[in-house]
Amino acid sequence: MKAVKFVLPLALCAITLAFTTTVKKEHWKTLFNGKDLTGWDTYIGPDLTDKGKPITGNPIGLNSDPRHVFSIVNQDGENVIRISGENWGAISTQTAYENYHLQLKFKWGALSWGQKKGKKKDSGVLYHSVGPYGADYGAWMRSQEFQVEEGNTGDYWGVAGGMADMPVIVRMDTAYVYNPAGTMTTFKEGSKQGRRCIKNGDAENPSGQWNTVDLYCHGDTSIHMVNGKVMMVLYHNRQLEKGQELPLTKGKIQIQSEGAEVFYKDIKIASINKLPADLVKQ
């Protein structure tokens, strides 16, 4: 009996030690304080017709929001960010980030506007955002897009010169779908395959329910996750500048307004020194 009593605590200690040495707690920094948009800028592009054409071509601009496209509202006893979608634009962090794990939650509202009215509700998380505001569609900075759109959340879209490589399979000769066993392919504006890569599978909850987005970025690699499932891994994140390919591994984070009402909350970020190995293999 004495031997048993002695061995069990040692085994328990060994298990505890193994757990504590292999699991590293992330130190989160909150990006939304639950009260206002401190730490964020707003940018709104030109007014658009119902067909998506600029009415004047003049943007509403930086930190000017006469229609309250971006606001803080209370839902179920907690404050969240409401993006009405009435104008195209974004909130963007005032700080540029690299080598991080970003996590946030979103859910769709009921409203849609203009050329998006009655269609799939659309938004997006744009990361590694650099350069001038309004570079894409008069509304967004150059960046890599983690698509947030009904049925397509987790897709990739290169914004205003953003580009990356993903392994894909071709579906019906028109759609390029992420697949770890596929052919490594470059996605960029003007190429045969274009600047969109379709996610692998679907993990989005029904409209009106909260979804959790996780974005891992380290070096020139990034991982898109929805509700705990890997949608794709992007390699060699870079940008096209005057015909030259340059690294794109650091920048601000934008959250889009793109014709649909959407809510965001629990936005937080943590520095990382490597990507989770089990996620890269998927």
Side-chain angles (χ1 to χ4, degrees), residues 55-73:
I55 293 175
T56 66
N58 299 319
I60 295 173
L62 185 65
N63 294 322
S64 177
D65 187 5
R67 297 189 182 97
H68 304 290
V69 173
F70 307 104
S71 62
I72 311 302
V73 300

Side-chain angles (χ1 to χ4, degrees), residues 111-124:
L111 301 177
S112 55
W113 309 82
Q115 70 180 111
K116 298 282 187 174
K117 192 171 183 65
K119 298 180 180 179
K120 290 182 177 181
K121 294 184 176 67
D122 200 356
S123 181

Side-chain angles (χ1 to χ4, degrees), residues 241-263:
E241 175 65 27
K242 297 180 180 178
Q244 184 179 4
E245 293 185 10
L246 302 173
L248 185 58
T249 59
K250 177 181 180 179
K252 297 180 178 181
I253 297 164
Q254 302 174 88
I255 300 179
Q256 289 180 309
S257 173
E258 195 175 356
E261 184 183 35
V262 60
F263 302 91

Side-chain angles (χ1 to χ4, degrees), residues 42-268:
T42 68
Y43 187 86
I44 299 175
D47 281 324
L48 303 175
T49 67
D50 286 347
K51 294 184 178 180
K53 302 296 183 181
I55 293 175
T56 66
N58 299 319
I60 295 173
L62 185 65
N63 294 322
S64 177
D65 187 5
R67 297 189 182 97
H68 304 290
V69 173
F70 307 104
S71 62
I72 311 302
V73 300
N74 188 277
Q75 283 200 346
D76 300 322
E78 63 178 340
N79 287 345
V80 302
I81 298 172
R82 176 185 182 261
I83 300 178
S84 73
E86 186 174 359
N87 288 96
W88 286 22
I91 56 172
S92 61
T93 59
Q94 295 171 345
T95 301
Y97 296 96
E98 64 178 332
N99 298 332
Y100 60 84
H101 174 195
L102 173 73
Q103 185 180 88
L104 55 80
K105 295 178 181 178
F106 81 90
K107 73 173 181 178
W108 299 111
L111 301 177
S112 55
W113 309 82
Q115 70 180 111
K116 298 282 187 174
K117 192 171 183 65
K119 298 180 180 179
K120 290 182 177 181
K121 294 184 176 67
D122 200 356
S123 181
V125 176
L126 312 184
Y127 59 100
H128 300 339
S129 303
V130 297
Y133 292 96
D136 198 80
Y137 289 99
W140 307 298
M141 305 164 69
R142 173 178 294 166
S143 51
Q144 306 288 50
E145 179 170 1
F146 186 130
Q147 177 70 278
V148 176
E149 182 182 60
E150 284 184 307
N152 298 318
T153 298
D155 283 3
Y156 166 75
W157 186 272
V159 180
M163 55 189 297
D165 299 335
M166 275 86 58
V168 297
I169 57 173
V170 182
R171 188 177 67 194
M172 299 176 62
D173 297 325
T174 57
Y176 294 82
V177 181
Y178 174 81
N179 188 306
T183 302
M184 192 66 75
T185 304
T186 299
F187 291 85
K188 64 179 181 178
E189 188 173 7
S191 66
K192 175 185 175 182
Q193 54 272 16
R195 49 181 174 156
R196 179 195 179 194
C197 180
I198 297 173
K199 62 186 171 55
N200 182 9
D202 185 24
E204 187 179 343
N205 292 325
S207 186
Q209 295 183 17
W210 288 104
N211 298 272
T212 299
V213 161
D214 286 280
L215 168 66
Y216 288 89
C217 298
H218 188 269
D220 63 359
T221 303
S222 55
I223 304 173
H224 294 187
M225 294 183 68
V226 178
N227 293 324
K229 182 178 179 181
V230 173
M231 297 288 101
M232 65 174 60
V233 180
L234 290 71
Y235 300 93
H236 310 128
N237 280 292
R238 56 200 190 279
Q239 58 185 313
L240 194 63
E241 175 65 27
K242 297 180 180 178
Q244 184 179 4
E245 293 185 10
L246 302 173
L248 185 58
T249 59
K250 177 181 180 179
K252 297 180 178 181
I253 297 164
Q254 302 174 88
I255 300 179
Q256 289 180 309
S257 173
E258 195 175 356
E261 184 183 35
V262 60
F263 302 91
Y264 286 90
K265 69 174 184 176
D266 298 342
I267 307 172
K268 57 186 181 179

